[in-house]
Amino acid sequence: GFVQHTLGFPLQSSVTDKVYGGSFLYHQEPNLILCGLVVGLDYENPYINPYQEFQRWKTHPAIKPHFEGGACIQYGARVLNEGGYHSLPKLTFPGGMLLGCSAGFLNAVKIKGSHCALKSGIVAAESVYEALTSGENAEEKTVATMGEVDPEEGPKEITEYANAMEKSWVYDELKEVRNCHDAFSKWGVGGGLLYTGIAAHITKGKEPWTLSSPVGSNSDGLKTDAKATKPAKEFEPIDYPAPDGVLTFDLLTNLQRSGTYHEDDQPSHLKIKPDVASVPESISLQVYAAPESRFCPAAVYEYVDEKLVINAQNCIHCKCCSIKMPHEYIQWTVPEGGGGPQYQVM
């Protein structure tokens, strides 16, 4: 079916705009359209509202006709860990390992990661099998043979998985485009596109330099998306158009389409870290004009009489708050009873 990816409206209005992101729109049988807007969380303007930018995107003359005569049946949101080669974590720990998008094997330039996820699964299976069957009489000691877990055997860390992944084409592919996101952050959409074209088709990642992210750094030298946000006084508030209820919708109406549900009497799974408990009212609201009330795609965070209110029952588990919050003041924990969004067609 029809496949469309876009840059430009509404996130970038000139070639020097540095907001990273774009849209996708896919036709799917029998009569479905899957669409969305991806916004890099290293944006600087605290007044940007990704949800409202998505609503604006649907009004573009090249986009709007796709939705005529249709009805919105589901809504959701999720953070993508697309840091790529520079952001890959330690892949193994005793008793487990990180695979696929959990590890960050997403090629943002190709806008795909399933091929890397499949490869990591294959490598993981081969590494585990080799670890379990190597050594004297190893096969006779496996759970499949003995029918039980040996209580004297502790959890193993299969470090060979990480070594094998580093030698695989997954790392080669991610290394080719390792500088592309930072090129957008450094030079804007125009310079980013030019650099990405050269890196992906000419140098193939063999350029003898590494671009460092120009945003999100402070005195401790660590660069995070939370630190990329600049004070609100450096920007003007954005006046987003009112929803029409047909093509564009208010957030709470769309939130119902996510099917999210949490037991009303359970403790909040979104906890303010004790060491930064004063940040919401004293820094987030006063310095950054409460960006969490805009970047959250589920209206979880709001300020009432200058006091933070956390509507944890609204949460759709996107994990954005644990990344973009000023001073990262939220600790995201697992809710009780498997609560959360109930996606059916996403």
Side-chain angles (χ1 to χ4, degrees), residues 55-168:
Q55 302 307 302
R56 286 179 58 199
W57 168 77
K58 291 187 289 183
T59 66
H60 191 280
I63 305 299
K64 185 177 180 179
H66 289 276
F67 304 111
E68 291 179 350
C72 181
I73 60 174
Q74 194 143 84
Y75 163 78
R78 188 69 173 89
V79 166
L80 306 174
N81 47 341
E82 58 176 33
Y85 186 80
H86 294 317
S87 299
L88 295 176
K90 184 175 184 293
L91 297 179
T92 62
F93 52 92
M97 54 184 64
L98 298 175
L99 283 69
C101 292
S102 295
F105 296 137
L106 171 65
N107 187 327
V109 174
K110 287 186 175 182
I111 320 180
K112 67 182 291 190
S114 57
H115 62 311
C116 296
L118 289 168
K119 178 62 176 177
S120 68
I122 294 171
V123 173
E126 293 173 343
S127 301
V128 170
Y129 179 81
E130 178 63 26
L132 292 178
T133 57
S134 60
E136 186 177 354
N137 299 322
E139 292 193 23
E140 297 178 4
K141 300 178 182 179
T142 62
V143 175
T145 302
M146 299 177 61
E148 60 181 2
V149 176
D150 184 353
E152 297 182 0
E153 183 180 14
K156 290 185 177 180
E157 182 170 359
I158 314 298
T159 56
E160 179 54 34
Y161 163 65
N163 297 333
M165 285 301 300
E166 290 180 9
K167 299 174 184 177
S168 73

Side-chain angles (χ1 to χ4, degrees), residues 1-68:
F2 182 80
V3 173
Q4 176 177 278
H5 298 118
T6 70
L7 286 171
F9 179 84
L11 298 176
Q12 306 102 9
S13 58
S14 72
V15 294
T16 58
D17 281 350
K18 296 181 179 180
V19 178
Y20 184 80
S23 74
F24 62 89
L25 188 150
Y26 309 140
H27 287 196
Q28 179 176 304
E29 292 183 350
N31 59 352
L32 298 176
I33 293 177
L34 286 73
C35 63
L37 185 71
V38 179
V39 183
L41 291 180
D42 55 354
Y43 64 81
E44 299 176 340
N45 186 349
Y47 289 114
I48 286 179
N49 186 318
Y51 174 82
Q52 295 292 353
E53 297 291 348
F54 175 49
Q55 302 307 302
R56 286 179 58 199
W57 168 77
K58 291 187 289 183
T59 66
H60 191 280
I63 305 299
K64 185 177 180 179
H66 289 276
F67 304 111
E68 291 179 350

